[in-house]
Amino acid sequence: MKILFKLYSELLPVMAFIPVGYFVKKWINVKPEYVSGPLIKVLLPLLVFFNVLDAEAEKLYILPVFTFLLALAMIPAANLAHKKFAKNSNPLLLRSSFSFFNIAFFGIPTVTALYGQEKVSALICIYLGSALYGDTIGYYQVAKTKHSPKEALAEVLKIPFLYVLIAAVISKIFDAKTPDFIEPILKVISFIVSSAGMLIVGFQLSDVKFRNLKLGYFGKILGFRTLAAVLILGVLMTAEYFIFQILDDTDYKMLFLVSLFPVAANVTVFASFLKTEEEQSSLLVFLSALLSLVLVSIAALFLN
């Protein structure tokens, strides 16, 4: 049980920003862009850059591939869900909800609690594949609903993450290291990134009418999403174990935890962009966060 107290001591202070965001948005008409802008353009790229420098080179080449393939493989799973029981959902947003995992915001406090701050760099490697998918294929698909293919590609090329990743990899090739004085600053940035992500979820929830909540409908979607992610990652990890044998036990455990992580908050940004199903996307993000808290708690008892 001690591990659960440690987990909650990291996760709950971060998740507490969901109700903070909810009530702040109720009282003040603050735009989520005021938080998401600095978060996506400055803080998260900083976190990615310096953690890539600290990552083991072999894992930097393989862990992002896992989550990129996971995101791609979740598209057919989302299509199947839409065909069988989720016909009331926009198929594009459903695919985004299946493919985007909240690795950065929810994952950092989870991994810090279970495996220590030193494993955050490996988690960032895992995050890179998900972010690379979301900021290229995922964003292009959404942008194409309002722009021509050429204009949509131009929108993708504006995303800072791509250039930060290239700069980090080049720096890694030249064996650059994170200066010691940066380490405490990165810990603060990690907390701010996670908290800001949850704050945005709270902002989006402020417009949700909970009396219209269909728990059975969302339960089917989130349950199927989790099962699909577990199976896909299980196949990928089995292949890695028998072919490459680069990853260690903790890496496997962290990858398994990814399948239990909630829907990423940027799904609500996409919904806002499309001007469609903004309430449903907010509920998917929020309810998946609650489900993940339960599932990760159970997993922590066996994976630590």
Side-chain angles (χ1 to χ4, degrees), residues 185-234:
I185 299 174
L186 288 179
K187 291 180 181 179
V188 175
I189 292 176
S190 293
F191 179 78
I192 294 173
V193 164
S194 298
S195 303
M198 296 301 165
L199 194 68
I200 292 169
V201 174
F203 288 163
Q204 300 289 355
L205 278 175
S206 65
D207 296 322
V208 170
K209 299 178 179 64
F210 284 96
R211 62 178 178 274
N212 298 330
L213 179 61
K214 299 176 182 177
L215 275 177
Y217 180 77
F218 288 109
K220 284 181 182 179
I221 291 175
L222 295 175
F224 186 76
R225 173 184 181 269
T226 301
L227 180 61
V230 168
L231 291 175
I232 292 166
L233 275 175

Side-chain angles (χ1 to χ4, degrees), residues 255-304:
L255 281 168
F256 172 74
L257 285 171
V258 168
S259 65
L260 309 181
F261 284 169
V263 177
N266 59 350
V267 171
T268 60
V269 178
F270 285 175
S272 177
F273 181 88
L274 292 170
K275 301 297 181 185
T276 181
E277 298 193 36
E278 295 177 65
E279 181 174 324
Q280 184 174 119
S281 66
S282 299
L283 282 171
L284 279 169
V285 171
F286 175 63
L287 293 174
S288 65
L290 296 181
L291 176 62
S292 292
L293 184 61
V294 175
L295 294 178
V296 167
S297 297
I298 296 171
L301 297 174
F302 298 95
L303 296 181
N304 191 57

Side-chain angles (χ1 to χ4, degrees), residues 111-133:
V111 166
T112 301
L114 297 181
Y115 307 115
Q117 184 68 33
E118 64 275 8
K119 281 295 181 179
V120 169
S121 60
L123 179 74
I124 293 298
C125 289
I126 293 172
Y127 164 76
L128 289 178
S130 178
L132 189 59
Y133 169 85

